[in-house]
């Protein structure tokens, strides 16, 4: 089967099951085992298995060959070997961890460049539009919308209503306002009152000077009383 036709079948099969972040890379210059590699993300084990089954069935119906499939038991990473093309169907955390794009993704292929399979005669079904291709989305004509600006409402406040506020402010001027002490100030005053009173020491008598004359002592004699 032609590689472009195989690539188109794989992309269509992945889009039918709403595969996310579909990427196709050319690998013929990196290895001789296969010419294309496709990577797609699935949101759950069930979706990854459905994506692999969709690729297998669509390629088989077109007469392609399925070499093998791996990873269908767990559904975290399903690999579909189509001979000339390898399809990696991975859950988002697994894809972010292994980063296969860094290994094989030096030559990406635009999905819109591949030619689709020719439409059968008498088949009037509308062509499906890919949700992740910006080029395939239908353009919608947008008519300009003219917004009417509403006039700003005039303020209903008058100067007469503001006059009482000024009078009240003028009356407040001149009044003394007592401010209660803070908790820290009250605690400091209380602690000072609780302190014991200091004892006042009496002054010592002054020592006599060395040059001063010694004080005279008077000794009185006591007369003996005769019996």
């Amino acid at each position: 089967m032609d590689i472009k036709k195989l690539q188109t079948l794989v992309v269509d099969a992945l889009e039918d099951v709403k595969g996310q972040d579909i990427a196709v890379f050319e690998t013929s210059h990196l290895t001789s085992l296969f010419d294309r590699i496709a990577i797609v993300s699935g949101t759950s084990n069930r979706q990854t298995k459905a994506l692999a089954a969709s690729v297998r069935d669509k390629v088989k119906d077109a007469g392609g060959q399925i070499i093998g499939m791996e990873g269908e038991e767990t559904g975290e990473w399903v690999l579909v070997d189509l001979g000339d093309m390898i399809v990696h169907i991975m859950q988002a955390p697994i894809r972010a961890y292994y980063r296969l794009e860094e290994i094989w993704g030096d030559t990406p292929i635009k999905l819109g460049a591949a030619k689709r399979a020719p439409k059968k005669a008498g088949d009037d079904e509308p062509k499906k539009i890919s949700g992740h291709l910006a080029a395939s989305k239908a353009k919608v004509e947008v008519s300009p919308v003219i917004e009417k600006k509403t006039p700003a409402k005039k303020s209903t406040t008058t100067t007469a209503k503001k006059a009482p506020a000024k009078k009240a402010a003028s009356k407040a001027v001149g009044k003394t306002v007592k401010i209660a002490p803070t908790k820290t100030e009250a605690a400091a005053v209380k602690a000072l009152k609780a302190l014991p009173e200091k004892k006042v020491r009496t002054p010592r008598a002054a020592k006599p000077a060395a040059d001063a004359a010694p004080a005279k002592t008077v000794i009185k004699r006591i007369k003996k009383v005769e019996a």
Side-chain angles (χ1 to χ4, degrees):
M1 183 183 293
D2 183 25
I3 188 62
K4 289 186 178 180
K5 184 178 180 181
L6 181 61
Q7 173 183 305
T8 301
L9 288 172
V10 170
V11 173
D12 287 343
L14 296 175
E15 289 178 351
D16 289 345
V17 193
K18 297 181 180 179
Q20 298 180 358
D21 299 330
I22 301 172
V24 180
F25 304 101
E26 184 180 354
T27 58
S28 58
H29 61 291
L30 298 175
T31 179
S32 59
L33 299 175
F34 45 86
D35 296 334
R36 296 285 190 277
I37 185 172
I39 305 173
V40 63
S41 298
T43 58
S44 63
N45 297 358
R46 186 175 180 181
Q47 189 184 14
T48 54
K49 294 177 182 179
L51 287 165
S54 177
V55 172
R56 178 194 60 202
D57 296 342
K58 200 144 194 171
V59 173
K60 271 188 177 181
D61 293 343
Q65 186 180 6
I66 308 297
I67 304 299
M69 295 179 64
E70 298 178 7
E72 287 183 294
E73 296 81 9
T74 60
E76 294 180 353
W77 182 357
V78 183
L79 184 145
V80 183
D81 188 356
L82 305 176
D84 293 336
M85 188 171 183
I86 304 295
V87 183
H88 293 276
I89 305 168
M90 315 167 75
Q91 293 189 22
I94 303 297
R95 183 174 180 176
Y97 179 79
Y98 286 98
R99 299 179 181 179
L100 296 182
E101 289 89 344
E102 295 181 1
I103 302 172
W104 305 103
D106 60 341
T107 311
I109 295 176
K110 294 182 180 180
L111 300 181
K115 293 182 180 179
R116 300 296 180 184
K119 198 174 182 181
K120 295 181 181 179
D123 191 3
D124 297 333
E125 291 183 1
K127 192 175 182 180
K128 292 184 179 180
I129 299 174
S130 172
H132 67 280
L133 292 177
S136 61
K137 291 183 179 180
K139 294 182 180 179
V140 181
E141 293 183 359
V142 181
S143 58
V145 179
I146 301 173
E147 295 182 357
K148 295 182 179 180
K149 294 183 179 180
T150 55
K153 294 182 180 179
K154 295 181 180 180
S155 58
T156 56
T157 56
T158 58
T159 55
K161 291 184 179 180
K162 293 183 180 179
K166 292 182 179 179
K167 290 182 179 179
S170 62
K171 289 181 180 179
V173 177
K175 289 184 178 181
T176 57
V177 180
K178 294 182 179 181
I179 300 173
T182 60
K183 290 183 179 181
T184 54
E185 292 176 353
V189 173
K190 193 173 181 180
L192 289 173
K193 288 181 180 180
L195 292 175
E197 296 181 359
K198 293 183 179 179
K199 294 181 180 180
V200 181
R201 294 183 180 179
T202 55
R204 293 181 180 179
K207 292 182 179 180
D211 300 336
K216 294 180 180 182
T217 55
V218 180
I219 300 172
K220 293 183 181 181
R221 295 181 179 178
I222 302 172
K223 293 179 180 183
K224 294 183 179 180
V225 180
E226 294 180 357

